[in-house]
Amino acid sequence: MRNDLSFIIDSRLALYEHQSTYNPNLPLRFLMYTANLYSNMTKDRNLYGSRPVRVPAPGFVIFYNGLPEQPNRQIIKLSDVYEVQDKEISLELKAVMLNINRGHNERLMDKCKTLKDYSIYVDKVREYTKSMQLEDAVEKAITECIENDILAEFLRNNRTEAKNVSIFEYDEEKHMRQTKEEGREEGREEGRKEVARINQLNKLLALQNRTADIVKAASDREWQEKLFKEFGL
């Protein structure tokens, strides 16, 4: 398990993640990453002694550039995924999620040309895929960016790698969206089948004047399953 990027400056530990999909589990992942980093930092130090073992203070940042709309800035908390929401939280972790899609966080983009260039490049790839094959869209985006001094040096020196990674990332993002949509459709289909199954059961019970069983099955899942088996449904 590895985070995308971590480094220490002025006794502060910064952990960065890049996401093309919204992920509420990132604070939990950050906790695991940090525990692993702290474990490595302190493996040769006395954690059982009377003196405090100093560690760098952590900070957590997520760069988001997925298609579903998200605000410029939001805080995602570890406590959001706790099964029990206590008033007093013993362990908390807060991560800042920044939207780096084109048109968002422009002040930040103006201060970091590389991040702004990356945002423009991704936007071009997405725009061109609307009218051409993905490989052609990536190739066109790379060519235009080099011509317009957008990530030019990096793309010029790493063209093949950048192209392959872009195709993989876009395909992965598209696959995840399709998987979610297929899951929703499968859920709807399963729901339709279940309703049809219940209706069939109720008809059979009605033919036998078993009104009490119809009423009981509506609130008792175990009894309903027993009736399904009885009628072979």
Side-chain angles (χ1 to χ4, degrees):
M1 180 177 290
R2 296 176 181 273
N3 61 289
D4 285 347
L5 179 66
S6 59
F7 53 89
I8 297 175
I9 295 179
D10 192 25
S11 297
R12 296 182 183 276
L13 173 64
L15 291 92
Y16 288 177
E17 285 288 313
H18 168 246
Q19 291 288 135
S20 59
T21 56
Y22 175 78
N23 188 337
N25 299 310
L26 267 168
L28 180 57
R29 285 165 50 190
F30 273 133
L31 176 65
M32 295 175 180
Y33 300 151
T34 306
N36 188 40
L37 289 167
Y38 280 167
S39 178
N40 288 331
M41 290 176 192
T42 60
K43 63 183 179 181
D44 296 323
R45 299 167 72 180
N46 184 11
L47 295 177
Y48 301 94
S50 59
R51 293 182 178 181
V53 174
R54 302 293 182 183
V55 292
F60 310 95
V61 177
I62 304 161
F63 293 113
Y64 169 83
N65 72 333
L67 287 174
E69 187 61 36
Q70 294 291 339
N72 278 352
R73 185 182 189 275
Q74 62 180 300
I75 303 296
I76 305 177
K77 298 182 294 182
L78 177 63
S79 60
D80 291 338
V81 299
Y82 286 167
E83 290 186 354
V84 177
Q85 298 295 318
D86 293 326
K87 290 183 179 180
E88 294 293 331
I89 299 172
S90 299
L91 178 63
E92 184 63 282
L93 187 153
K94 298 179 181 179
V96 179
M97 190 171 88
L98 302 173
N99 191 334
I100 59 168
N101 279 305
R102 195 170 187 180
H104 290 270
N105 280 306
E106 293 183 356
R107 184 181 176 189
L108 170 64
M109 298 299 187
D110 289 340
K111 290 182 177 293
C112 182
K113 183 179 185 302
T114 302
L115 194 60
K116 183 175 184 178
D117 286 358
Y118 174 70
S119 174
I120 295 171
Y121 168 69
V122 171
D123 187 65
K124 284 180 177 293
V125 172
R126 287 174 175 165
E127 183 63 30
Y128 295 147
T129 52
K130 295 177 182 178
S131 58
M132 60 181 68
Q133 294 295 318
L134 175 57
E135 186 172 352
D136 295 332
V138 172
E139 184 65 38
K140 182 177 181 180
I142 290 175
T143 299
E144 281 195 10
C145 284
I146 292 174
E147 292 174 350
N148 292 285
D149 193 29
I150 299 169
L151 289 179
E153 183 179 355
F154 175 79
L155 292 175
R156 193 180 295 113
N157 295 333
N158 304 275
R159 188 178 190 116
T160 300
E161 180 185 2
K163 182 176 179 180
N164 291 337
V165 170
S166 296
I167 291 172
F168 170 78
E169 286 186 346
Y170 190 88
D171 275 346
E172 183 181 44
E173 179 184 346
K174 183 179 179 182
H175 172 70
M176 291 181 73
R177 292 200 310 272
Q178 291 174 336
T179 299
K180 288 179 181 178
E181 182 56 38
E182 288 169 1
R184 286 192 289 268
E185 183 56 39
E186 287 175 4
R188 288 192 287 267
E189 181 60 28
E190 287 298 318
R192 287 191 288 267
K193 289 180 180 178
E194 184 66 8
V195 169
R197 189 180 177 212
I198 293 171
N199 288 340
Q200 181 66 17
L201 174 63
N202 289 341
K203 287 179 182 179
L204 294 171
L205 290 171
L207 289 173
Q208 297 181 11
N209 294 319
R210 295 169 62 176
T211 306
D213 281 332
I214 295 175
V215 174
K216 186 176 180 180
S219 58
D220 189 331
R221 182 64 182 176
E222 289 186 6
W223 185 251
Q224 188 180 67
E225 287 295 333
K226 183 178 179 180
L227 293 173
F228 282 146
K229 291 179 180 179
E230 178 184 336
F231 288 97
L233 297 176

